[in-house]
Each structure stands twice: as C-alpha cells, then as structure tokens.
Amino acid sequence: MEASVRVEKLGPVTLVTLDRPEVRNAVDAATAHALHQAFLAFDADHEALVAVFHGANGHFCAGWDLQAGAQLAAQQHPGAALADLDFSAGDDKPQGPMGPSRLLLSKPVIAAVSGAAVAGGMELALWCDMRVMEEDAYFGVYCRRFGVPLIDGGTVRLPRLIGMGHAMDLILTGRKVEAAEALQMGLCNRVVPRGDAREAAMALAQQLAKFPQRTMLADRMNAYQQWDLPLPEALRLEWERSKHRIADGLEGATRFAGGEGRHGKF
C-alpha cells in the first residue's frame, strides 16, 4: 500500500485515510492506484460493512496533483505518456485517474470532508454514498481555471445529485461552494463543526452497520442501477433483487410487534 494511503479496520467500519500533507492530499498516479486497491480490499472484506473516506491534516483532497501533471507535460512526447492513462472501460474493476472513481462497490462509503474537496477531490467525494462536511470545508471545480477536465465522474454524478441547473453553475464557473450552500443544494448530507467530520462520519457508519445488511444493500444497489432504465424495467429489477429480502422484512415485523424499535428508535 502506498504510504500516502492508510487503512484501519475499526470493527465493521473501515477507515481509509488519504495523507499527502505537502500537497493538500492531491493524488498522483501511485496514490490513485493505492486508493483503488484499498477500496477493492474493503469491498472484498466480508467483515467490513461500511467505509469512511477521510483526508488527513485538515483537507479532504485538492484534486489531481498538478505538479505531477507538469512533470508529464515536460516529457519529450507527452501524448505517448498520456496513452498510459487510457483506463479500460472493459475492466470489471476499472480504475479512474483519481483511483476508485469508476467503481460501483457493493457496500456504502461515507466521505468525511474537511478543508478543500476540490477538482478531482470533489469528484472523489461525489463518488461516495454520503458526505459529512465540516462547517468551514468547501467544494469547487477549481480545475476550471487550469483547463483540467472532469474525468472522474464529475459531469455524471454532479447533475444526478443536485440537478442540471446547480451542476452547470458549478461546472462552468468553478466557483467555491461552502458548507451551508452545499447542504442547501444537496451536495452534502450533514454539516458538523470544524474538526468533527471524521468522528461524525464514523458514528454514521456505525449506525448503518447495525441495520439488517442484505436489505439495505439491495435497496442501495437498486437506487444506483435504476438511472439508465425505463420505469417498468427499473421496477422489475427492484423486485427481482429485493423479493429475496421479504423474509428479512417479516422477521423485522415480528420484532416490531414484540416492542422493538417503537417511536422512531433504532
């Protein structure tokens, strides 16, 4: 594992930490590969139920490492070098330029966002299922000013998450989006005090880990896979995947009838 990526197993929660303080956790090629491998390992770990993705030293991720990009541009034949970045769409576990951004995992990942989550770092946060954001953290397509494209799902996930109007505003202007506005437009799910994102994301992950997992994961996957389907086909897929979880629901109904989980308690 690349030294800039740390993985800790804390019961059913896996904490993945990006740690490149000298560049505000910007991602180079080695770090992208390490992140990709870390999340594949999480997905394959039967004891791990939820992951928290965290940036150390006060920032989530400042995007792609432009210093590495400058070194690439200085090469004699940069076009040939760029061919090495042609990530195969046919791979069943594809790696994006920022790492895991082209994976659809079978289990949820929660982003704990502090400081900057910009450019490719914003795309990594969008890749996660939920985002817990500190009150002084911020998003932004900051790569707009340098002509660096969004190629880690930003132009796909952003409109789906916050709608086309908000997405075009952010994609075209590259402006800064602070926590209060991010919450209002649905770009994040929770806003917490400065320094609390990791702790709050871990608490949320522990909550998710306590639910009946097979039903939750079936509902999650149905929500992801309905996007490109006509309504009748999406409803059929929902039924085919989730009908096997009806027995779980009936068992839960029995627990409810016995007095468990009343009045909104979990």
Side-chain angles (χ1 to χ4, degrees):
M1 184 68 64
E2 172 74 11
S4 58
V5 177
R6 300 195 308 272
V7 177
E8 301 171 67
K9 296 181 180 181
L10 305 170
V13 178
T14 296
L15 177 65
V16 179
T17 301
L18 180 56
D19 189 2
R20 298 189 75 214
E22 69 281 4
V23 288
R24 291 190 173 187
N25 297 332
V27 171
D28 60 6
T31 304
H33 180 70
L35 285 172
H36 182 257
Q37 293 301 305
F39 282 107
L40 284 180
F42 156 70
D43 209 40
D45 185 350
H46 297 298
E47 296 181 354
L49 303 183
V50 186
V52 169
F53 188 5
H54 167 250
N57 306 295
H59 291 283
F60 182 73
C61 175
W64 184 48
D65 188 343
L66 294 181
Q67 296 291 342
Q71 293 172 11
L72 182 64
Q75 294 181 11
Q76 186 173 1
H77 300 290
L82 285 171
D84 294 334
L85 300 177
D86 184 15
F87 302 98
S88 174
D91 189 345
D92 63 348
K93 298 177 180 178
Q95 178 182 322
M98 293 289 293
S101 57
R102 293 183 183 172
L103 296 174
L104 176 56
L105 302 185
S106 65
K107 296 178 283 192
V109 179
I110 301 170
V113 180
S114 56
V118 298
M122 180 176 175
E123 291 182 287
L124 286 178
L126 293 174
W127 169 73
C128 298
D129 295 85
M130 299 178 70
R131 286 148 296 282
V132 176
M133 192 173 184
E134 294 180 5
E135 59 190 0
D136 62 342
Y138 55 94
F139 291 117
V141 185
Y142 278 24
C143 51
R144 177 62 52 237
R145 67 193 70 178
F146 300 110
V148 178
L150 296 172
I151 50 176
D152 282 88
T155 65
V156 177
R157 294 189 178 101
L158 197 57
R160 292 183 177 190
L161 185 65
I162 62 175
M164 197 66 169
H166 285 311
M168 284 296 99
D169 179 7
L170 304 191
I171 290 170
L172 296 178
T173 69
R175 68 180 180 85
K176 183 178 184 179
V177 181
E178 297 180 336
E181 184 182 8
L183 181 65
Q184 183 274 329
M185 68 171 61
L187 190 52
C188 72
N189 302 93
R190 311 277 194 280
V191 173
V192 298
R194 180 179 183 180
D196 287 355
R198 172 177 163 172
E199 181 180 353
M202 290 293 296
L204 181 56
Q206 293 285 356
Q207 177 187 343
L208 298 189
K210 292 178 181 178
F211 291 140
Q213 291 297 297
R214 292 181 298 178
T215 301
M216 184 185 76
L217 296 181
D219 288 346
R220 172 186 176 273
M221 192 58 68
N222 285 335
Y224 274 119
Q225 294 190 338
Q226 58 81 30
W227 279 105
D228 297 322
L229 299 175
L231 180 60
E233 178 62 16
L235 293 172
R236 185 197 66 78
L237 180 64
E238 179 188 64
W239 168 250
E240 290 299 325
R241 176 176 285 119
S242 296
K243 66 183 180 182
H244 306 293
R245 305 276 66 83
I246 292 176
D248 296 338
L250 294 177
E251 191 273 333
T254 301
R255 288 190 283 114
F256 176 81
E260 183 178 330
R262 297 292 180 88
H263 308 297
K265 294 181 180 179
F266 286 90

